[in-house]
Amino acid sequence: MLHIVLTRIDDRLIHGQVITAWTKITKADRIIVVDDEVAEDSFMVKVLKMAAPSSIKVDIFNTEDAAVTLAGEDIGERVIILVKTPKTVLGLIKAGVNIADLNLGGMGATQGRKQLYRNISISAEEKAIFKELLTLGVDVFVQIVPDANKMPMAAMI
């Protein structure tokens, strides 16, 4: 299995904060974006790959292909997994990916979502998925930037 240094939910996926802060603190050299829709959108794939510095390898997979890739042999890469929703994380876990910690960084307000904390809003379905992740033993926490305090999700939902 690849060496996962961070699994993060952030609906913006690759953006300045991820690149500048999280890749430095985790010493990541690879980002794997997991999103079924984005993986099928060649324009978005190009945009996301261009958003990262050339020193960071970027791959964009659907959930099924990501699970296969993440189960591969550890070749010394330090991997950040980025997803938009908790449903994707649950799908990866059900496909056999070992995710012990989950950083909730950003889920914007949309119809059907209620604000949980600052730039994080969740729907009733997403709340149920977070509860399932917690029962599976995943340490789910809110931490927008690396130097902020971790806030346990269990206390918020």
Side-chain angles (χ1 to χ4, degrees), residues 2 4 13-14 30-42 44-46 48-49 57-72 77 79-85 87-89 91-92 95 97:
L2 297 184
I4 300 167
L13 298 172
I14 297 176
R30 183 176 184 186
I31 295 173
I32 295 178
V33 173
V34 185
D35 188 277
D36 294 343
E37 289 179 23
V38 173
E40 299 299 318
D41 184 337
S42 60
M44 280 307 300
V45 167
K46 286 178 187 174
L48 289 169
K49 287 187 175 193
K57 181 179 179 183
V58 177
D59 292 301
I60 295 101
F61 296 114
N62 62 35
T63 306
E64 185 180 330
D65 291 342
V68 171
T69 299
L70 291 164
E77 292 177 320
V79 179
I80 292 176
I81 300 172
L82 295 176
V83 303
K84 289 183 179 183
T85 68
K87 184 177 181 179
T88 304
V89 176
L92 288 171
V97 178

Side-chain angles (χ1 to χ4, degrees), residues 85-86 107 113 121-131:
T85 68
M107 291 175 61
R113 281 185 175 169
S121 298
I122 63 173
S123 67
E125 178 189 3
E126 290 163 336
K127 183 176 181 177
I129 293 169
F130 280 122
K131 287 182 177 184

